[in-house]
């Protein structure tokens, strides 16, 4: 059993709508607040429970103001000081940078860990073992990411090129990182997987908070300065006023560009290859893979009061309307039935759902988003 680590502060950036999971995932009910695996637990709740045993301190959550009530309801043990609310989305560097700054001021010299709210990971023990290795490596002055062994030559993920073993005590599998690579084309992805030197980039980072902030200041000085002004006012009567004024002026950029890639170029990044199963539940094809409850004739069925009839069909049905959904002679179909929107597609075209969401925005049909 994993022992809690002192001066390690994991936090959960909980943002993003998950537009490829529309109409299930929406602005007021994003995917991290949903149970997408039929486990009875939301993705956020499952993430929190994986992280809580790893620390002697509370887990922090960074999310949008509009989700404060839902997050507090799902995580009743979360105190107000550990719930950081963003006035609006400003991309991952702002959210992660602010968490690092607040935690470094709370516990100088600490190691932090950033873990997205919307990933499915099992078994939890293998994940926790990887985090312990990452913390041990981070204490030597490294930004450590946890890479995922590729299950396929996916073109949907960025990749990490792993280098030499680093020989760090308490982190036997940690390797240097030569570079982060953008999402490749299919031929390149196949070459990456065949080489054995590339891992999927799951966006998990464990590092000394001060080192993260050092690279953030060097590469995004305007963002760093704005976050510093917010942190200076944190916990005072000026907190809300400064947050509202400064937050909207922060540059939008991803943590990969602001910190990870330049830090890798400087030789400051390491990777722990994860041995656990991982899925970012990016679309309905992923949901279909992950769900087997209510399965009949290769159709996964999710939702409350579902009434699904299947004849020689396969795919996934998500429904909470109580309407009868009858599938006859259709393969790899995706049906998502909600009170105000119906989606019908195939698993092959699941990634294209985001295009439909963009079309709805363009046409002004935002009432269903």
């Amino acid at each position: 059993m994993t022992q809690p680590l002192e001066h390690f502060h994991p936090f959960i950036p909980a943002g993003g709508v998950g537009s490829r999971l529309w109409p299930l995932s929406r602005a007021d009910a994003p995917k991290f607040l949903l149970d997408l695996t039929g486990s009875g637990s939301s993705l956020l709740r499952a993430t929190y429970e994986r992280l809580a045993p790893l620390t002697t301190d509370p887990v922090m959550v960074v999310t949008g103001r509009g989700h404060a009530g839902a997050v507090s309801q799902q995580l009743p043990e979360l105190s107000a000081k550990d719930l950081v609310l963003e006035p609006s989305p400003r991309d991952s560097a702002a959210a992660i940078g602010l968490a690092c700054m607040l935690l470094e001021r709370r516990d100088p010299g600490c190691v932090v860990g950033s873990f997205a709210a919307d990933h499915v990971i099992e078994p939890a023990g293998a994940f926790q073992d990887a985090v312990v290795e990452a913390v041990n490596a981070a204490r030597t002055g490294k930004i450590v990411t946890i890479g995922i062994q590729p299950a396929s030559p996916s073109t949907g993920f960025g990749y990490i090129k792993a280098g030499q073993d680093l020989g760090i005590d308490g982190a036997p599998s940690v390797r240097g990182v030569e570079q982060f690579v953008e999402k490749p084309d299919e031929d390149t992805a196949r070459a990456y997987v065949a080489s054995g030197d590339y891992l999927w980039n799951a966006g998990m980072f464990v590092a000394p908070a001060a080192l993260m902030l050092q690279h953030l200041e060097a590469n995004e000085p305007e963002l760093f300065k704005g976050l510093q002004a917010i942190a200076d006012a944190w916990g005072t009567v000026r907190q809300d006023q400064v947050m509202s004024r400064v937050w909207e002026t922060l540059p939008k950029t991803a943590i990969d560009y602001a910190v990870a890639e330049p830090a890798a170029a400087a030789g400051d990044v390491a990777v722990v290859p994860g041995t656990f199963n991982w899925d970012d539940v990016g679309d309905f094809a992923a949901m279909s893979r992950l769900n087997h409850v209510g399965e009949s004739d290769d159709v996964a069925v999710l939702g409350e009061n579902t009434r699904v009839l299947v004849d020689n069909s396969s795919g996934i049905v998500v429904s909470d309307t109580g309407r009868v959904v009858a599938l006859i002679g259709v393969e790899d179909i995706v049906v998502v039935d909600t009170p105000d929107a119906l989606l019908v597609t195939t698993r092959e075209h699941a990634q294209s759902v985001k295009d439909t969401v963009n079309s709805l925005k363009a046409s002004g049909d935002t009432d269903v988003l």
Side-chain angles (χ1 to χ4, degrees), residues 113-265:
S114 174
F115 303 93
D118 54 3
H119 294 173
V120 173
I121 291 173
E122 58 181 19
F127 164 78
Q128 291 163 346
D129 290 344
V131 174
V132 171
E133 280 202 52
V135 171
N136 290 336
R139 295 198 198 280
T140 69
K142 291 287 187 182
I143 295 172
V144 187
T145 184
I146 299 175
I148 307 300
Q149 297 285 359
S152 65
S154 173
T155 60
F157 303 125
Y159 284 73
I160 301 163
K161 186 178 183 183
Q164 297 296 314
D165 291 342
L166 296 183
I168 296 174
D169 288 343
S173 66
V174 73
R175 298 169 67 181
V177 167
E178 294 188 4
Q179 64 178 140
F180 288 86
V181 185
E182 297 295 325
K183 296 175 182 178
D185 59 35
E186 189 168 346
D187 288 342
T188 304
R190 290 184 186 281
Y192 285 169
V193 174
S195 76
D197 291 330
Y198 289 82
L199 301 160
W200 285 342
N201 180 8
M204 305 181 202
F205 295 100
V206 176
L211 183 58
M212 292 285 285
L213 295 170
Q214 175 186 317
H215 281 285
L216 184 64
E217 183 178 19
N219 297 292
E220 291 287 342
E222 184 182 347
L223 175 57
F224 180 86
K225 185 177 179 181
L227 293 176
Q228 203 168 41
I230 293 170
D232 286 344
W234 204 261
T236 73
V237 294
R238 299 172 50 246
Q239 175 178 318
D240 291 344
Q241 181 265 327
V242 172
M243 182 68 152
S244 297
R245 175 175 57 83
V246 174
W247 187 260
E248 302 302 328
T249 70
L250 299 178
K252 283 188 175 184
T253 186
I255 196 68
D256 298 75
Y257 303 135
V259 172
E261 292 181 7

Side-chain angles (χ1 to χ4, degrees), residues 5-364:
L5 302 170
E6 294 185 354
H7 305 293
F8 172 54
H9 299 275
F11 63 88
I12 305 171
V17 175
S19 55
R20 290 184 181 89
L21 291 171
W22 178 88
L24 194 60
S25 181
R26 309 203 185 189
D28 61 350
K31 69 174 183 174
F32 63 84
L33 292 173
L34 306 177
D35 174 11
L36 300 183
T37 64
S39 67
S41 178
S42 73
L43 300 184
L44 172 65
R45 181 73 216 179
T47 303
Y48 187 92
E49 290 179 354
R50 279 194 302 273
L51 294 172
L54 288 165
T55 178
T56 57
D57 295 286
V59 176
M60 177 182 282
V61 176
V62 184
T63 193
R65 282 179 179 170
H67 305 314
V71 169
S72 296
Q73 185 175 22
Q74 291 195 7
L75 304 176
E77 58 270 69
L78 191 67
S79 68
K81 75 181 181 68
D82 294 308
L83 180 58
V84 177
L85 301 176
E86 304 172 295
S88 64
R90 301 305 292 179
D91 217 326
S92 58
I96 292 173
L98 179 58
C100 289
M101 198 167 284
L102 295 177
L103 290 168
E104 172 64 15
R105 293 184 178 207
R106 185 185 298 181
D107 183 12
C110 70
V111 169
V112 297
S114 174
F115 303 93
D118 54 3
H119 294 173
V120 173
I121 291 173
E122 58 181 19
F127 164 78
Q128 291 163 346
D129 290 344
V131 174
V132 171
E133 280 202 52
V135 171
N136 290 336
R139 295 198 198 280
T140 69
K142 291 287 187 182
I143 295 172
V144 187
T145 184
I146 299 175
I148 307 300
Q149 297 285 359
S152 65
S154 173
T155 60
F157 303 125
Y159 284 73
I160 301 163
K161 186 178 183 183
Q164 297 296 314
D165 291 342
L166 296 183
I168 296 174
D169 288 343
S173 66
V174 73
R175 298 169 67 181
V177 167
E178 294 188 4
Q179 64 178 140
F180 288 86
V181 185
E182 297 295 325
K183 296 175 182 178
D185 59 35
E186 189 168 346
D187 288 342
T188 304
R190 290 184 186 281
Y192 285 169
V193 174
S195 76
D197 291 330
Y198 289 82
L199 301 160
W200 285 342
N201 180 8
M204 305 181 202
F205 295 100
V206 176
L211 183 58
M212 292 285 285
L213 295 170
Q214 175 186 317
H215 281 285
L216 184 64
E217 183 178 19
N219 297 292
E220 291 287 342
E222 184 182 347
L223 175 57
F224 180 86
K225 185 177 179 181
L227 293 176
Q228 203 168 41
I230 293 170
D232 286 344
W234 204 261
T236 73
V237 294
R238 299 172 50 246
Q239 175 178 318
D240 291 344
Q241 181 265 327
V242 172
M243 182 68 152
S244 297
R245 175 175 57 83
V246 174
W247 187 260
E248 302 302 328
T249 70
L250 299 178
K252 283 188 175 184
T253 186
I255 196 68
D256 298 75
Y257 303 135
V259 172
E261 292 181 7
D268 282 348
V269 183
V271 62
V272 173
T275 60
F276 45 85
N277 297 318
W278 171 88
D279 203 304
D280 70 344
V281 206
D283 57 27
F284 286 108
M287 275 190 66
S288 184
R289 285 197 309 272
L290 290 167
N291 285 280
H292 304 286
V293 293
E295 193 170 295
S296 172
D297 289 1
D298 297 321
V299 174
V301 179
L302 283 87
E304 300 293 329
N305 304 314
T306 54
R307 302 168 69 192
V308 179
L309 301 178
V310 176
D311 180 5
N312 195 29
S313 298
S314 63
I316 183 170
V317 176
V318 185
S319 175
D320 59 4
T321 65
R323 277 194 293 259
V324 172
V325 178
L327 306 182
I328 304 170
V330 288
E331 295 184 0
D332 285 339
I333 197 163
V334 174
V335 178
V336 185
D337 186 25
T338 71
D340 62 352
L342 172 67
L343 170 72
V344 181
T345 185
T346 63
R347 286 191 282 208
E348 181 183 358
H349 293 91
Q351 286 277 316
S352 299
V353 173
K354 186 174 184 177
D355 298 334
T356 298
V357 170
N358 291 336
S359 296
L360 289 167
K361 287 180 183 176
S363 64

